[in-house]
Amino acid sequence: MFREGFTELEKRYEVTFPEGRDFTYEEVYGMIPEYDVLCSMFDFPVNKELIDHAPNLKLVSNYAVGYNNIDVAYCLEKGVIVTNTPSPVTVPTANHALGLMLDAARRITECDRKLRTLGEGMKVGVLENLGVPVSGQQLGIIGMGRIGKALAKRAVACGMDVVYHNRHQLDIEEETRLNVVYMSKEELLATSDFVSLNAPYTPSTYHIIGEEELKQMKPTAILINTARGPLVDELALAKALKEGTISGAGLDVFEFGDYPSPELLELDNIVMTPHIGTQTYKTRVAMAEAVCNNVIGFLEGDRPITRVLRP
Ligand code: GLV
């Protein structure tokens, strides 16, 4: 985390900040018994073992909107509050999802990559490298929280028809304001030209896109995932892209950690980024400030905090 975001917190409290690197799990495990608050990165496991080793811990302030790295149920059982940072991540993540959509649709990165190896298979001409339009196409959003809604606004501005699936249907006023239509997951998959995943990673969203779901999608469809890797069965996706079950994908997150499966690397019809949905300096500082505002607000009650209320 950028230390710039910690200025106010460091003025008021004793903060142990790693210099130029991340603390390892073992280091945190060793230190945690002394600490009242843990500011955790989105890939740092806050598990039962760690919580049981932290008798003074009162707050886990996560640096992310997602909190699948934290055993929230156990924290709540132990009276440890958990907070996240929805506000600064919403717009950058929606922008990144839109970027991946446009890139995959118009094959921008694919053409760039091929142009650099001209003579090795790149054909240039007015009938080559055909993409698909974005305007006039249907976008299906799975997970209509803040990021899903921000993406919907952008897609509508691009002239797309937006449908969505969510645990709870939005009220009619909000649907009307956003210009979106609720659908079952099956109908959304069968009718959408683009499908974007914007749901949190929980046991019920694990592999929400697997072999069966990929088969339900149009052969011309493009899948976008800026949420969490395990929402998609990555090997089933590689097979579907290879066999033409769907036509393309844009991924910012991967099922097995920071890197894509080797099967994806062989494919031209996919654009990939290494979990950079919020990776601008400004956003990263704003996320660190949000982490610290949650700590100060929790300890002093002088500002609102964004609490995670259930796993
Ligand atoms: C980033 O992945 C986040 O959850 O904020």
Side-chain angles (χ1 to χ4, degrees):
M1 302 180 206
F2 282 116
R3 197 160 189 163
E4 295 87 305
F6 279 71
T7 313
E8 188 183 0
L9 189 67
E10 289 198 288
K11 275 193 197 137
R12 297 179 186 218
Y13 294 96
E14 203 179 309
V15 180
T16 309
F17 201 95
E19 282 303 335
R21 65 183 187 91
D22 295 341
F23 284 131
T24 62
Y25 177 81
E26 288 68 32
E27 285 173 320
V28 175
Y29 186 81
M31 292 188 283
I32 201 73
E34 305 293 317
Y35 285 77
D36 300 294
V37 173
L38 173 64
C39 299
S40 49
M41 294 295 299
F42 49 73
D43 55 357
F44 184 86
V46 183
N47 52 28
K48 282 197 176 75
E49 177 195 52
L50 192 78
I51 299 160
D52 282 341
H53 198 59
N56 293 320
L57 191 65
K58 296 163 188 66
L59 172 70
V60 178
S61 179
N62 209 38
Y63 176 86
V65 66
Y67 43 83
N68 52 288
N69 56 311
I70 301 172
D71 189 336
V72 175
Y74 198 59
C75 281
L76 297 180
E77 195 185 313
K78 291 279 168 180
V80 176
I81 302 298
V82 178
T83 56
N84 66 347
T85 60
S87 179
V89 312
T90 301
V91 162
T93 309
N95 285 346
H96 197 66
L98 179 67
L100 290 175
M101 273 169 56
L102 296 173
D103 188 314
R106 301 303 305 275
R107 304 171 65 179
I108 296 171
T109 301
E110 181 190 342
C111 285
D112 177 272
R113 190 168 56 240
K114 287 181 173 172
L115 274 173
R116 291 167 196 269
T117 54
L118 198 56
E120 290 175 35
M122 176 70 174
K123 290 194 188 136
V124 176
V126 289
L127 299 183
E128 305 294 341
N129 306 306
L130 293 173
V132 291
V134 172
S135 308
Q137 304 277 100
Q138 179 175 304
L139 167 64
I141 297 178
I142 298 183
M144 202 53 151
R146 295 172 194 239
I147 297 171
K149 289 175 195 169
L151 177 60
K153 285 187 198 156
R154 284 153 177 76
V156 168
C158 289
M160 301 184 85
D161 299 320
V162 181
V163 303
Y164 76 99
H165 180 72
N166 196 42
R167 238 172 346 160
H168 307 293
Q169 186 170 354
L170 304 179
D171 61 42
I172 184 82
E173 287 80 21
E174 193 164 27
E175 286 188 347
T176 310
R177 191 157 32 80
L178 290 168
N179 204 355
V180 296
V181 173
Y182 180 82
M183 275 187 185
S184 68
K185 185 175 143 199
E186 291 68 31
E187 194 183 356
L188 179 150
L189 292 176
T191 59
S192 294
D193 302 296
F194 295 82
V195 173
S196 175
L197 305 180
N198 299 102
Y201 173 32
T202 65
S204 62
T205 59
Y206 173 74
H207 282 191
I208 45 171
I209 300 293
E211 194 178 344
E212 278 317 302
E213 289 76 15
L214 290 159
K215 281 190 193 141
Q216 288 165 29
M217 290 168 70
K218 290 181 171 186
T220 50
I222 291 176
L223 177 70
I224 305 296
N225 187 8
T226 53
R228 287 290 184 268
L231 269 60
V232 177
D233 178 342
E234 198 164 293
L235 298 180
L237 174 64
K239 188 162 175 277
L241 289 168
K242 193 167 180 180
E243 293 175 356
T245 311
I246 67 167
S247 99
L251 303 184
D252 186 44
V253 284
F254 305 101
E255 183 172 2
F256 308 108
D258 290 340
Y259 293 94
S261 305
E263 287 80 353
L264 292 178
L265 301 179
E266 297 162 9
L267 303 169
D268 272 332
N269 52 347
I270 179 163
V271 54
M272 294 175 284
T273 51
H275 202 165
I276 58 167
T278 54
Q279 204 133 316
T280 70
Y281 174 73
K282 211 171 156 185
T283 301
R284 292 298 196 197
V285 173
M287 287 171 73
E289 282 167 357
V291 163
C292 294
N293 280 331
N294 279 330
V295 178
I296 300 168
F298 170 76
L299 293 172
E300 300 185 19
D302 63 344
R303 64 198 75 186
I305 64 172
T306 44
R307 248 180 105 158
V308 174
L309 294 174
R310 55 185 155 74

